[in-house]
């Protein structure tokens, strides 16, 4: 039997235990907030929200990339970002294209709303270059060539959202005009932004094949940048809402799977209550045909989406939550999505007509370019390494903690050398930059690459 003095201590001990537990929780929360502040700070609420949105392609068969960017703009605009703080790169050849069944309108899902209206035309046509993009990110107006002149005038208290969608391959992504964006060049720009205090924290979303290769082994964890990509460094990303029957109104894919996933999730949620990590997990689940990856400062993933994308005073919802899961909509690998369009052109043209002959010729040319890329790269690799080692050069994959290539100048030189003798890498042929990176890693020099390219393509 307990003594009366022990019994009288029980309430005191319970109160003491409760106080200690509350103190521990408070300390844990304080420590977490310190981590966030030290790494770029989601706790800070001051500063301006900026966004740079980039569609890296042109051509109606690439409809989906500009549709993605237009949709992203509408989300940011609906949630309070000002046009002066949203910078858009898009070639702008889709809305009024003769193939577009709804002139002046772009949609991002079947029967979806127009996402084209109001989109700023900051950098279009020949202005959509890598050089202009770098100038915009660095806030360097003097380096611009054409365009609206808008640049990131952001500072150390500001939050920057950067979204890119298009074709890519190992170590690079495309722009509609001019040079590719190489991963090391993008990383150098991000480091210059950090040095110039162009952001407090920054979020990057990248949609392209092998998009993980743009950040793998390159993005430090202490830069105040959190990023996700549509795929890892070794696989395709996927076009989505592609036409799957002859009666489909549009002959091209309307969106991309990863991009649709994050944007429809943003449409359906209050951005002030959903974190970046919540969205990453949702997008990862829905994007079930590639491996959605995350890089950089993971502490920043605890920030609410509203930190970067704004927050509407009213609920923004165009997609029921139960639709945010894998569906029966047709998904196609990015590099094959163009064939959907060209094949449908052949199918729709009247048999024996001039239109039919032209459509078939265009499709045949596309297939010939694919065969040329396959043949030429295989010949180059066989010339340099022999039949027995060719397969490993074409397919070798580096560990996730390593960049895809050690010598970026070598990769750039090999791409230029191939294109000099064998022609521009097509969107399909871009997959072979992995082989070029592996050649660099194996010690092949420019002279040997040049000789092999001449032999394969002269």
């Amino acid at each position: 039997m307990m003594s009366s003095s022990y019994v009288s201590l029980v309430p005191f001990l319970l109160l003491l235990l409760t106080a200690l537990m509350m103190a521990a929780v408070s300390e844990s929360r304080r420590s977490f907030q310190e981590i966030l502040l030290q790494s770029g700070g989601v706790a800070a609420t001051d500063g301006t929200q900026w966004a740079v949105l980039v569609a890296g392609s042109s051509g109606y068969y690439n409809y989906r990339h500009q549709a993605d960017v237009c949709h992203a703009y509408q989300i940011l605009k609906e949630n309070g970002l000002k046009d002066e703080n949203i910078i858009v790169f898009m070639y702008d050849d889709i809305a009024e294209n003769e193939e577009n069944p709804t002139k002046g309108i772009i949609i991002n899902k079947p029967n979806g709303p127009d996402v084209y209206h109001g989109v700023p035309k900051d950098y279009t046509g020949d202005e959509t270059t890598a050089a202009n993009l770098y100038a915009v990110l660095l806030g360097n107006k003097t380096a611009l060539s054409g365009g609206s002149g808008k640049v990131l005038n952001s500072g150390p208290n500001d939050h920057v959202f950067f979204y890119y969608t298009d074709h890519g391959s190992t170590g690079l992504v495309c722009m509609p005009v001019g040079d590719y964006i190489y991963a090391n060049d993008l990383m150098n720009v991000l480091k210059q932004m950090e040095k110039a205090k162009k952001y407090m924290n920054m979020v990057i979303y990248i949609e392209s094949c092998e998009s993980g290769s743009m950040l793998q082994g390159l993005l430090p964890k202490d830069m105040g940048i959190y990023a996700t990509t549509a795929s890892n460094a070794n696989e395709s990303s996927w076009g989505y809402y592609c036409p799957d029957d002859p009666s489909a109104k549009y002959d091209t894919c309307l969106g991309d799977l990863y991009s649709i996933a994050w944007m429809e999730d943003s449409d359906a949620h209050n951005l002030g209550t959903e974190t970046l990590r919540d969205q990453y997990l949702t997008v990862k689940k829905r994007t079930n045909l590639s491996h959605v990856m995350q890089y950089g400062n993971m502490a920043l993933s605890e920030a609410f989406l509203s930190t970067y994308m704004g927050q509407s005073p009213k609920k923004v919802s165009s997609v029921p939550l139960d639709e945010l899961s894998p569906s029966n909509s047709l998904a196609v690998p990015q590099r094959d999505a163009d064939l959907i369009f060209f094949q449908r052109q052949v199918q729709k043209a009247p048999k024996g007509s001039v239109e039919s002959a032209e459509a078939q010729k265009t499709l045949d040319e596309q297939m010939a370019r694919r065969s040329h890329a396959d043949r030429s790269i295989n010949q180059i690799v066989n010339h340099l390494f022999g039949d027995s080692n060719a397969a490993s050069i074409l397919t070798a994959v580096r560990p996730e903690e390593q960049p895809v290539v050690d010598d970026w100048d070598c990769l750039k030189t090999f791409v230029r050398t191939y294109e000099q003798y064998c022609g521009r890498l097509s969107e399909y042929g871009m997959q072979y930059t992995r082989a070029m990176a592996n050649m660099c890693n194996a010690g092949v020099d420019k002279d040997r690459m040049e000789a092999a390219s001449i032999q394969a393509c002269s």
Side-chain angles (χ1 to χ4, degrees):
M1 185 174 179
M2 292 185 289
S3 66
S4 59
S5 61
Y6 180 83
V7 171
S8 65
L9 283 174
V10 170
F12 171 76
L13 291 172
L14 288 173
L15 285 171
L16 180 61
L17 180 60
T18 300
L20 289 171
M21 290 175 65
M22 291 179 66
V25 170
S26 176
E27 175 64 19
S28 173
R29 287 176 178 166
R30 184 191 68 80
S31 299
F32 181 64
Q33 289 299 317
E34 286 179 352
I35 290 172
L36 295 175
L37 287 169
Q38 290 169 2
S39 48
V42 298
T45 56
D46 294 334
T48 301
Q49 294 155 324
W50 291 83
V52 179
L53 311 177
V54 182
S57 69
S58 62
Y60 188 77
Y61 56 89
N62 285 318
Y63 181 109
R64 61 198 181 278
H65 303 131
Q66 294 183 56
D68 291 339
V69 157
C70 290
H71 188 176
Y73 166 79
Q74 300 299 341
I75 290 170
L76 300 177
K77 185 70 173 178
E78 285 281 352
N79 283 283
L81 267 68
K82 300 176 181 178
D83 281 354
E84 65 194 63
N85 301 124
I86 305 173
I87 304 169
V88 177
F89 283 74
M90 59 181 289
Y91 198 80
D92 197 26
D93 60 343
I94 300 303
E96 300 296 339
N97 195 288
E98 63 180 5
E99 299 293 344
N100 187 5
T102 53
K103 296 293 186 294
I105 291 173
I106 295 177
I107 62 175
N108 202 207
K109 65 177 296 183
N111 303 312
D114 174 30
V115 293
Y116 183 64
H117 67 279
V119 176
K121 309 291 181 61
D122 292 309
Y123 299 91
T124 62
D126 290 343
E127 301 153 0
T128 54
T129 64
N132 272 349
L133 176 59
Y134 299 153
V136 164
L137 290 172
L138 293 171
N140 184 359
K141 286 193 173 186
T142 61
L144 289 171
S145 178
S148 68
K150 271 200 297 188
V151 296
L152 274 182
N153 287 320
S154 53
N157 294 319
D158 295 339
H159 312 285
V160 177
F161 175 58
F162 174 52
Y163 168 54
Y164 171 94
T165 175
D166 183 33
H167 294 282
S169 62
T170 300
L172 60 90
V173 293
C174 290
M175 287 297 283
V177 177
D179 293 338
Y180 302 113
I181 296 173
Y182 285 89
N184 71 315
D185 292 334
L186 177 62
M187 196 54 51
N188 288 337
V189 169
L190 295 177
K191 289 178 179 179
Q192 290 179 61
M193 291 175 68
E194 180 190 37
K195 185 177 180 180
K197 302 187 186 312
K198 298 291 290 182
Y199 61 84
M200 172 178 284
N201 43 42
M202 182 174 182
V203 164
I204 299 173
Y205 284 4
I206 302 178
E207 168 87 62
S208 77
C209 296
E210 289 88 26
S211 46
S213 69
M214 296 298 291
L215 302 169
Q216 176 178 302
L218 295 172
L219 181 61
K221 296 182 179 179
D222 60 354
M223 277 183 67
I225 296 177
Y226 171 75
T228 74
T229 62
S231 63
N232 62 27
N234 317 305
E235 64 187 352
S236 177
S237 65
W238 292 73
Y240 199 57
Y241 293 140
C242 302
D244 56 358
D245 67 73
S247 64
K249 186 174 184 179
Y250 289 81
D251 293 331
T252 185
C253 303
L254 301 179
D256 293 291
L257 183 52
Y258 160 87
S259 294
I260 286 295
W262 80 256
M263 287 188 283
E264 291 187 357
D265 177 71
S266 297
D267 283 332
H269 286 88
N270 182 336
L271 304 188
T273 61
E274 183 181 9
T275 66
L276 289 159
R277 174 172 170 76
D278 293 336
Q279 183 161 91
Y280 163 73
L281 294 173
T282 297
V283 171
K284 184 176 181 179
K285 181 179 180 181
R286 189 178 182 190
T287 310
N288 59 344
L289 298 172
S290 61
H291 297 83
V292 176
M293 305 296 288
Q294 55 181 346
Y295 300 93
N297 191 328
M298 298 303 157
L300 296 180
S301 68
E302 299 301 328
F304 293 121
L305 294 171
S306 56
T307 308
Y308 305 91
M309 301 181 193
Q311 183 176 6
S312 173
K314 63 181 185 299
K315 181 72 168 63
V316 179
S317 180
S318 62
V319 183
L321 290 176
D322 59 7
E323 287 189 19
L324 298 178
S325 60
S327 71
N328 294 324
S329 293
L330 180 63
V332 176
Q334 285 273 12
R335 295 190 182 106
D336 293 333
D338 61 338
L339 293 184
I340 295 283
F341 172 75
F342 295 121
Q343 288 168 348
R344 285 180 65 86
Q345 295 299 99
V346 172
Q347 294 164 0
K348 287 172 58 178
K351 292 287 189 285
S353 66
V354 173
E355 292 85 350
S356 177
E358 290 177 349
Q360 187 63 57
K361 180 183 178 183
T362 301
L363 177 59
D364 291 343
E365 288 171 348
Q366 293 296 320
M367 299 307 297
R369 290 190 188 100
R370 289 170 173 247
S371 296
H372 169 70
D374 293 337
R375 179 190 57 78
S376 59
I377 290 293
N378 276 279
Q379 286 187 7
I380 290 169
V381 172
N382 286 335
H383 176 81
L384 292 170
F385 297 94
D387 291 344
S388 59
N389 297 316
S392 64
I393 293 297
L394 289 168
T395 60
V397 172
R398 282 193 143 187
E400 287 186 3
E401 67 275 6
Q402 286 187 325
V404 293
V405 68
D406 295 322
D407 185 344
W408 288 94
D409 287 336
C410 174
L411 177 60
K412 294 173 188 177
T413 298
F414 280 17
V415 170
R416 286 195 298 268
T417 300
Y418 176 87
E419 293 190 336
Q420 178 182 351
Y421 295 103
C422 300
R424 178 81 172 177
L425 281 170
S426 64
E427 292 154 357
Y428 171 83
M430 286 176 65
Q431 65 185 293
Y432 291 116
T433 61
R434 182 195 305 182
M436 296 179 192
N438 289 337
M439 292 180 210
C440 291
N441 295 333
V444 175
D445 61 27
K446 179 183 183 298
D447 290 341
R448 293 175 63 202
M449 175 62 179
E450 185 173 35
S453 298
I454 291 172
Q455 184 183 63
C457 299
S458 62

